[in-house]
Amino acid sequence: MTADLRHLRAFLAIAAEGNVTRAAARLHVTQPALSRTLRQLEAHLGVRLVDRSTHHLELTAAGERYRQRAEAAVAAVDAALDPSAAGVWPLRLGHAWSALGARTTMLLRRWALLHPEVPLELLRIDDERIAGVGRGRCDVAILRDPGPVAGLRTARLMSERRFAVLAVDSPLAARAELFLSDLAGEPVAMNAVTGSTTRGLWPAGAAPERVVPVGNTDDWLVVIAAGRAVGVSTEATVAVYPNPDVAYVPLVDAPLVEVVLAWAEPVTHPSVPALVALAAEVVAA
């Protein structure tokens, strides 16, 4: 048997629903047919993808790894069959926040000048740490301090300084520079999914006592502007999110943040190498 797109969609529906009955309803097929399709895919791959030992199905370790590949493959096929994009194959550049900061506009303008036949789409994907690049939601992603990323290639672009981010009327906002210890007594707004700030940024025993969780950059800024918390971000945020209610003050003892480009191999768009090369030129200018 040769597996095809139908098998991938069946597996992804089961992974999303955690239940064969709901997945079958989602795909408008019978439960036995869906179970048979899953077994065919597992037989083709030679691995067990789903643990059926509990009422709520769970992916095996192999299934979790394969899910990322399946999502990328289905996304690529859907994009290729999208009638609205016929004749146009945009290159999708993902980011979780702030893109390349002050260099973003230069990158977009130079790409349009050098590659007018390939639209470059900048996509903010802030619901996963690697901005969708591992699941086919974009072709290349700008990541900050991503750590090890299985299945992706990366190219370092630059390092960014960190800044304390404060309500403009905070007593700390009048300072020319700050230390991490200056923030330790304040509630700190943190995005646990895509943010580069964690308790581990502070020395052992000196981390902030209270964290205010946020889901995206917009909510993070609102919490800080309202005086409910302080934040830590990079110089890219300073450039992209000027706000009259927020002050940015350099943090002199905070480690730099590494900015990288990440992409899957094989590449999902033939222009990926050209974008990687151009981004390196832009940040070096």
Side-chain angles (χ1 to χ4, degrees):
M1 188 213 76
T2 300
D4 55 30
L5 188 61
R6 173 175 58 92
H7 293 84
L8 298 184
R9 292 194 190 280
F11 166 65
L12 291 177
I14 293 170
E17 297 291 344
N19 179 281
V20 174
T21 301
R22 291 196 299 270
R26 175 173 171 172
L27 295 176
H28 306 291
V29 299
T30 66
Q31 180 177 335
L34 185 60
S35 296
R36 184 165 57 251
T37 301
L38 174 63
R39 290 196 299 271
Q40 290 171 345
L41 178 61
E42 291 178 323
H44 174 78
L45 296 173
V47 295
R48 177 64 64 89
L49 299 174
V50 178
D51 182 358
R52 303 166 177 80
S53 62
T54 62
H55 178 69
H56 181 85
L57 301 183
E58 300 285 348
L59 297 186
T60 63
E64 288 288 357
R65 292 190 296 270
Y66 189 70
R67 181 180 189 177
Q68 190 174 82
R69 293 173 54 194
E71 287 176 333
V74 171
V77 171
D78 288 344
L81 297 178
D82 182 1
S84 66
V88 178
W89 191 359
L91 177 59
R92 302 162 299 166
L93 176 59
H95 69 107
W97 46 273
S98 297
L100 284 182
R103 298 174 173 89
T104 304
T105 300
M106 182 186 297
L107 176 66
L108 297 177
R109 286 182 177 274
R110 289 190 59 183
W111 181 267
L113 181 65
L114 295 171
H115 305 278
E117 75 287 357
V118 181
L120 179 57
E121 294 183 354
L122 185 65
L123 306 174
R124 192 175 92 172
I125 302 174
D126 56 11
D127 57 357
E128 58 175 298
R129 185 160 190 80
I130 59 174
V133 69
R135 300 179 185 275
R137 298 169 69 187
C138 65
D139 303 298
V140 189
I142 301 165
L143 306 179
R144 288 176 168 82
D145 280 352
V149 184
L152 298 180
R153 284 198 60 184
T154 60
R156 180 187 176 278
L157 290 178
M158 58 186 172
S159 298
E160 292 179 333
R161 296 174 298 151
R162 295 187 200 250
F163 284 72
V165 189
L166 316 132
V168 72
D169 58 353
S170 166
L172 295 175
R175 301 264 293 275
E177 58 185 29
L178 292 169
F179 294 85
L180 285 169
S181 58
D182 294 320
L183 305 181
E186 305 284 340
V188 179
M190 294 184 189
N191 183 331
V193 177
T194 63
S196 60
T197 304
T198 67
R199 290 179 181 271
L201 184 62
W202 281 261
E209 294 182 3
R210 182 166 167 250
V211 168
V212 178
V214 295
N216 55 57
T217 303
D218 297 323
D219 293 346
W220 175 81
L221 276 172
V222 168
V223 166
I224 293 170
R228 292 176 47 203
V230 301
V232 176
S233 193
T234 74
E235 56 193 272
T237 300
V238 180
V240 175
Y241 293 96
N243 188 315
D245 298 319
V246 168
Y248 295 100
V249 181
L251 277 169
V252 297
D253 63 339
L256 299 175
V257 173
E258 294 298 304
V259 183
V260 305
L261 282 182
W263 64 96
E265 284 205 330
V267 297
T268 56
H269 193 292
S271 294
V272 166
L275 180 61
V276 173
L278 181 61
E281 292 178 14
V282 167
V283 299

